[in-house]
Amino acid sequence: MTVQLEDVTVHFGNKHSGRTCALEGFDLSVAAGETVALLGPSGSGKSTALKAVAGFVRPTRGRIRLGGNDVTDLPPARRGIGVVVQQYALFPHLRVADNVAFGLRAARKPKAEVSRRVGEMLEMVGMTAYGRRFPRELSGGQQQRVAIARALAIQPSVLLLDEPLAALDAQLRADMLGELQKLRREVPDIAIVYVTHDQSEALALADRIAVMRDARLVDIAPAAELYAAPPSAFTASFLGGANLLPVSVDEGAVKVAGAVVPGLKPEDGKSLLCIRPHAIRLEPPEPANAVEDVARLVGRVVAAQWRGASSQVTCLVDGLADVVVRVDVPADRRVPELGAAVVMVLPVEACSLVPAEVG
Amino acid sequence: MLVWTRTGKAVVWIAFALVFGLLVLLPFLVVIAAAFAGSWNGVLPSDPTGDHLRQALSGDELASLSVSLQTAFMGGLLAVVIGTWGAMAAYGSRFARVADAMHHLPIAVPSVVVGLGLLVAFSRQPVLLNGTKWIVVIAHLVLMVAFSYGTVAAALQRVDPSYADVAASLGASPARVLWRVRLPMLLPAISSAAGLSVALSMGEVGATIMVYPASWRTLPVSIFALTDRGQTFVAAAEAVVLLATTVVLVVILDRLRGRAVER
Amino acid sequence: MAVEALGATVVVSSQRRRDGKWLWVLPPLLVIAVLVVYPLVLVAIESIPAWGDVVGSAEFRDALVRTVQIAVSSTVGCLIVGTFLAVVISFVPFPGARVVAGLVDTMLALPSFLVALSFTFIYGTTGILRAGGFLTSPWAVVLAEVTFYTPFVMRPLLAAMSRLPQAQLDVAASLGAGPWRVLRQVVLPEVRPALVAGGSLTLLLTLNEFGIVLFLGAKGTTTLPMLVHTKGIVMFDYPGACVIAVVQIALSLGLYAVLRMALGGRRARLD
């Protein structure tokens, strides 16, 4: 079933305490079988958008449609949407099986059907052996699986996931990400809205990513497209932590700190060069001899963090005050010393231009 | 959110307003209204007057106010000291359970029984207190110790003991840790115990009515005497005096607490 | 306050025991021993000669039954009203809900006889409703106690409900549960410890309640605490008053001990 949000706006508070706008003019359409990630920093409105779809908050303006039907005024109990929240919100006094059965019993399904469906769901998330346990006897990852089983038990046509992995530690998060990908294949017809602040989750799971900021939608596009050619500076830095360097245009050529970026055409209104940290190569400051499609920036190293598989080196560019360039240096390459002069090599195929931030 | 529809919410709120207003709030409002009414023969009070209040603030009635204030301050504040001391000393000691049980005894037992006990115990040798104001003060002290102890003990559960440990590790003596770390951190609880003690002491009637001598009549005892004589309007006025005094005292103690927290 | 006083658990951490520190606990305990325990022991001793007379009397048995009757009815009333009010304040919030919650806190510190006093104006012979007969019936006492003790049920409930994650209610609703089902199957089971704590405290306090009964002064409504007062102060029958006091203590403390044990066990299981 398609989920549609049209011009949805949500305000909190009242006239006396001052209103805050949590979501402004938000449009989104998620097709059956599609996964859309709402990605943004905290306070960007992504959770509010999800709560509006679930019916937990009432929009001050705009409509929400499920499969074409306007559900804006329906209470959550009558929307039939599966919801999984960050802290799982399992009912602590109910056993795992009763948690999963909660929605089925609310719908007054026959006993036999309830127990059959609970069995199926627990099997799907690999928790069959835990039906008699209480939530507090489960680990975070197990609770997460139960929460998903509970949401899917009511056979929703839409599943909303609100930061489902945020409460897990790093290793478990990676495992659960795999589980979620597998789960996606088991329920191919459901529309999934996945709220997260973590770009790696969004990239791994989503067909399309909606980047949000300050209660508004910034960009929405298929994940690969958004990563390869970010339409805005915010998306570029939030999704993949791109470097953004101010460019100048001189005689039809794009220049960064005086160095020409060969082969890059200037575009109107786009004054920042975007390049990913892993695309930059560091070289010793020797005169360039090879003829490559590269831009070469001279600068020096100001910080280096070892991260195991790679090191992140922070450099300053000569002639560009206040701009730092982050470079990922693979573990098999030598990391230059602090203060060392370096040349940053920018392959032009990894460069794109984005508009500067407004305001 | 539990109720999602607008009509549902409206129905629930109307029910709430009725139940809360009529059952919980109304009785207190009625007393206040009666204090200023010359008569009350219909739904609303009539003949507004300040006479009852004037009467409640003169002669014997005024003396009762003074008696209540003195009792509340002597009994209530001493109770805060003892209760705080007890709670802090008992916290983590091997006598914790005994201390806990003993301090809760006066609230688990009806106040009339506490009064009767004092009457029986101090009408004989070695200590003769019956007929003096001290037996009233002691009754209040005993009851308020229990509340103070409970308030401070509950706060102790919430205070992180590592602060005291850190202070000690920095070389502070036990006395200094007590004075500069543990007591200041409990100050909000101690001052709310003080407010509670004074307020409850001002309204105490069960133990007081068992032990009070004619020379030491507290406000509630006077109010009861007035209702017993059928002077309900003056009784209501005096109850308002009691309420107002209590509120002023509690607000003052609350201010002190606010200042303590800022510091 | 009273709720915390009775609910406070004592954590004994072995690390923090220091030799000699326990001596500090003795002075306050000595005060309690002299001013509470010693008098109660004397009450017990004093009561010995009068047991036969008092326990056999119809007056005593009526008062005992009436006391329990009023306390149980009031507690049930408080639980129903208090739960309703707390649920609305917590989960169907309206502008000003916090003010109401603050008001509830304040009421805990007010004297109970104010309610009884107001009843003379509301239900008295010349009052608003002119329900003269009601004022002298035990139901007036019950209604007054419900008014006064409802905040004692609300306080622990409000605290427990504020700790209940909103997400649980939201998720329950998204699973198709209506308000009534969410209340019965999610909210009430999860705040049950607070409900038990508030209810048992209220039962204890209503068993011990004196001010309301005294001020309503209904002839037919004699409770045990009232009888202690009548015998001790009006009739100067100390031994008789002492017998009733002992019975009352046994009733209160017995109940108190049972509740503490039950609550302690519950708490241990929840942790």
Side-chain angles (χ1 to χ4, degrees):
Chain A
M1 214 184 268
T2 313
V3 183
Q4 284 165 290
L5 289 88
E6 289 163 15
D7 191 30
V8 173
T9 300
V10 178
H11 288 96
F12 287 129
N14 53 36
K15 276 171 232 149
H16 310 288
S17 61
R19 293 168 80 96
T20 42
C21 181
L23 193 64
E24 178 73 55
F26 187 71
D27 291 302
L28 179 71
S29 172
V30 185
E34 188 187 23
T35 304
V36 169
L38 303 186
L39 178 69
S42 57
S44 59
K46 56 192 194 300
S47 281
T48 306
L50 180 131
K51 284 180 176 150
V53 176
F56 301 155
V57 298
R58 182 183 288 271
T60 16
R61 197 178 71 215
R63 309 310 297 176
I64 294 158
R65 287 180 221 284
L66 292 181
N69 299 319
D70 191 330
V71 296
T72 318
D73 296 319
L74 277 188
R78 292 174 54 199
R79 296 193 183 190
I81 292 177
V83 183
V84 175
V85 296
Q86 186 179 344
Q87 299 295 338
Y88 325 132
L90 295 180
F91 307 123
H93 60 287
L94 296 181
R95 292 176 195 277
V96 165
D98 294 320
N99 261 285
V100 178
F102 189 92
L104 299 166
R105 292 195 178 130
R108 301 181 193 285
K109 297 270 190 247
K111 261 201 179 133
E113 191 188 334
V114 171
S115 65
R116 183 180 55 79
R117 184 110 189 104
V118 169
E120 283 172 15
M121 286 298 115
L122 288 179
E123 197 187 329
M124 186 174 86
V125 296
M127 292 291 292
T128 308
Y130 296 88
R132 302 284 303 154
R133 300 263 188 110
F134 282 101
R136 63 172 177 277
E137 299 165 339
L138 304 181
S139 70
Q142 291 171 331
Q143 292 189 29
Q144 182 60 266
R145 288 159 202 238
V146 176
I148 291 170
R150 179 177 63 179
L152 288 177
I154 58 170
Q155 293 182 296
S157 48
V158 178
L159 180 64
L160 307 177
L161 300 161
D162 190 1
E163 301 267 11
L165 306 184
L168 303 176
D169 55 40
Q171 182 54 49
L172 202 52
R173 198 181 313 185
D175 293 348
M176 278 306 292
L177 209 52
E179 298 270 332
L180 287 175
Q181 286 173 318
K182 205 178 103 215
L183 192 88
R184 186 14 142 181
R185 293 192 289 274
E186 303 224 9
V187 284
D189 301 329
I190 293 185
I192 296 183
V193 180
Y194 188 102
V195 164
T196 181
H197 66 276
D198 185 318
Q199 43 135 338
S200 61
E201 291 173 25
L203 291 171
L205 292 171
D207 300 318
R208 284 191 298 153
I209 296 178
V211 178
M212 297 189 66
R213 181 195 197 184
D214 296 338
R216 286 169 187 277
L217 180 67
V218 180
D219 292 310
I220 180 162
E225 200 176 296
L226 216 50
Y227 187 84
S232 67
F234 179 75
T235 300
S237 60
F238 196 79
L239 192 70
N243 291 300
L244 294 168
L245 305 171
V247 297
S248 56
V249 178
D250 194 13
E251 295 170 3
V254 174
K255 281 183 170 180
V256 176
V260 177
V261 187
L264 200 61
K265 296 269 172 301
E267 291 173 60
D268 274 352
K270 295 191 173 179
S271 57
L272 287 175
L273 181 129
C274 161
I275 183 163
R276 303 282 168 191
H278 58 77
I280 304 178
R281 213 165 65 233
L282 288 184
E283 286 181 358
E286 285 160 12
N289 43 16
V291 187
E292 284 180 278
D293 265 355
V294 292
R296 305 172 75 88
L297 303 181
V298 183
R300 64 201 154 76
V301 176
V302 291
Q305 284 175 9
W306 185 58
R307 292 182 175 178
S310 66
S311 294
Q312 184 163 81
V313 177
T314 308
C315 303
L316 281 177
V317 180
D318 290 352
L320 278 184
D322 305 329
V323 175
V324 294
V325 175
R326 289 178 305 277
V327 182
D328 284 342
V329 179
D332 55 353
R333 303 279 291 261
R334 202 181 64 82
V335 175
E337 313 218 330
L338 276 191
V342 287
V343 170
M344 287 151 264
V345 180
L346 280 49
V348 76
E349 67 273 13
C351 296
S352 61
L353 290 175
V354 295
E357 290 289 307
V358 187
Chain B
M1 199 68 69
L2 188 64
V3 178
W4 301 93
T5 58
R6 276 177 201 178
T7 37
K9 278 185 200 172
V11 169
V12 169
W13 286 336
I14 289 168
F16 181 91
L18 284 176
V19 172
F20 187 77
L22 290 181
L23 201 67
V24 182
L25 210 52
L26 180 71
F28 295 98
L29 297 179
V30 162
V31 171
I32 295 171
F36 299 99
S39 58
W40 198 328
N41 295 319
V43 172
L44 289 176
S46 44
D47 312 323
T49 172
D51 286 352
H52 304 318
L53 205 61
R54 228 165 283 132
Q55 216 174 321
L57 284 169
S58 60
D60 282 355
E61 278 39 85
L62 189 65
S64 285
L65 176 61
S66 149
V67 163
S68 264
L69 283 171
Q70 292 176 56
T71 312
F73 274 93
M74 284 189 285
L77 296 185
L78 194 56
V80 172
V81 173
I82 297 174
T84 306
W85 181 338
M88 292 181 75
Y91 182 69
S93 96
R94 70 185 77 173
F95 284 110
R97 270 177 192 287
V98 181
D100 216 28
M102 275 177 73
H103 280 98
H104 285 145
L105 199 56
I107 16 179
V109 164
S111 50
V112 249
V113 173
V114 170
L116 179 71
L118 292 172
L119 209 53
V120 170
F122 298 111
S123 303
R124 64 175 75 191
Q125 296 301 339
V127 190
L128 258 175
L129 290 176
N130 194 3
T132 71
K133 67 180 177 186
W134 297 112
I135 197 164
V136 180
V137 174
I138 286 175
H140 284 233
L141 167 73
V142 163
L143 291 171
M144 303 321 149
V145 162
F147 286 109
S148 304
Y149 178 93
T151 308
V152 177
L156 273 168
Q157 303 283 322
R158 291 192 293 264
V159 171
D160 187 346
S162 56
Y163 287 105
D165 291 344
V166 167
S169 78
L170 292 170
S173 66
R176 196 177 172 79
V177 172
L178 176 71
W179 190 246
R180 300 303 294 264
V181 180
R182 296 181 69 201
L183 275 177
M185 292 190 77
L186 286 177
L187 216 52
I190 294 171
S191 64
S192 82
L196 183 65
S197 291
V198 166
L200 291 175
S201 172
M202 291 292 293
E204 212 293 319
V205 66
T208 315
I209 211 157
M210 296 296 288
V211 298
Y212 79 96
S215 61
W216 198 256
R217 282 200 335 183
T218 63
L219 263 183
V221 172
S222 285
I223 296 173
F224 174 64
L226 286 168
T227 46
D228 214 28
R229 290 202 299 267
Q231 293 177 270
T232 44
F233 287 99
V234 185
E238 202 162 358
V240 168
V241 171
L242 170 71
L243 273 177
T245 317
T246 309
V247 167
V248 168
L249 288 177
V250 170
V251 166
I252 290 173
L253 284 168
D254 207 54
R255 279 280 166 80
L256 293 179
R257 157 166 140 192
R259 217 167 284 160
V261 171
E262 276 166 35
R263 216 173 356 117
Chain C
M1 50 166 84
V3 177
E4 281 163 5
L6 292 167
T9 44
V10 176
V11 178
V12 183
S13 88
S14 51
Q15 258 184 329
R16 310 190 63 74
R17 271 184 205 165
R18 284 179 206 106
D19 281 352
K21 188 187 168 242
W22 61 274
L23 283 170
W24 286 95
V25 84
L26 290 186
L29 285 192
L30 200 67
V31 172
I32 303 281
V34 171
L35 299 181
V36 185
V37 180
Y38 161 70
L40 291 182
V41 170
L42 284 184
V43 165
I45 295 171
E46 196 94 339
S47 74
I48 294 169
W51 274 86
D53 289 348
V54 175
V55 173
S57 70
E59 180 190 38
F60 165 77
R61 271 180 282 123
D62 287 351
L64 179 63
V65 171
R66 188 87 329 142
T67 307
V68 174
Q69 227 173 34
I70 289 177
V72 171
S73 317
S74 306
T75 305
V76 171
C78 288
L79 283 174
I80 295 170
V81 177
T83 306
F84 170 69
L85 297 180
V87 164
V88 176
I89 291 176
S90 302
F91 300 126
V92 199
F94 49 90
R98 279 175 171 208
V99 178
V100 173
L103 217 55
V104 165
D105 257 9
T106 318
M107 283 177 180
L108 296 174
L110 298 178
S112 62
F113 63 79
L114 281 183
V115 179
L117 184 59
S118 80
F119 275 23
T120 23
F121 298 105
I122 301 175
Y123 304 102
T125 39
T126 62
I128 303 173
L129 299 176
R130 303 193 191 188
F134 173 75
L135 195 59
T136 56
S137 76
W139 295 111
V141 177
V142 170
L143 188 65
E145 291 191 1
V146 169
T147 293
F148 185 73
Y149 286 107
T150 290
F152 287 78
V153 173
M154 289 174 73
R155 210 177 120 106
L157 272 182
L158 286 172
M161 286 173 178
S162 73
R163 285 193 299 269
L164 189 75
Q166 178 62 45
Q168 293 208 356
L169 274 71
D170 287 351
V171 168
S174 78
L175 290 168
W180 190 239
R181 179 177 281 268
V182 175
L183 185 65
R184 258 182 22 251
Q185 299 198 338
V186 178
V187 176
L188 291 184
E190 290 190 40
V191 300
R192 219 179 83 168
L195 210 55
V196 174
S200 50
L201 177 72
T202 304
L203 186 62
L204 181 73
L205 294 176
T206 48
L207 278 172
N208 291 349
E209 176 56 36
F210 174 73
I212 287 174
V213 188
L214 176 77
F215 269 73
L216 283 179
K219 292 268 182 302
T221 318
T222 306
T223 60
L224 289 181
M226 196 62 201
L227 208 54
V228 171
H229 173 248
T230 320
K231 282 211 183 294
I233 300 304
V234 185
M235 294 155 62
F236 295 108
D237 173 12
Y238 275 20
C242 286
V243 173
I244 295 157
V246 171
V247 173
Q248 175 82 56
I249 293 170
L251 194 67
S252 300
L253 287 193
L255 186 83
Y256 181 72
V258 167
L259 293 176
R260 289 231 40 175
M261 260 190 288
L263 290 181
R266 172 159 296 282
R267 188 172 288 126
R269 247 180 294 139
L270 276 179
D271 296 341

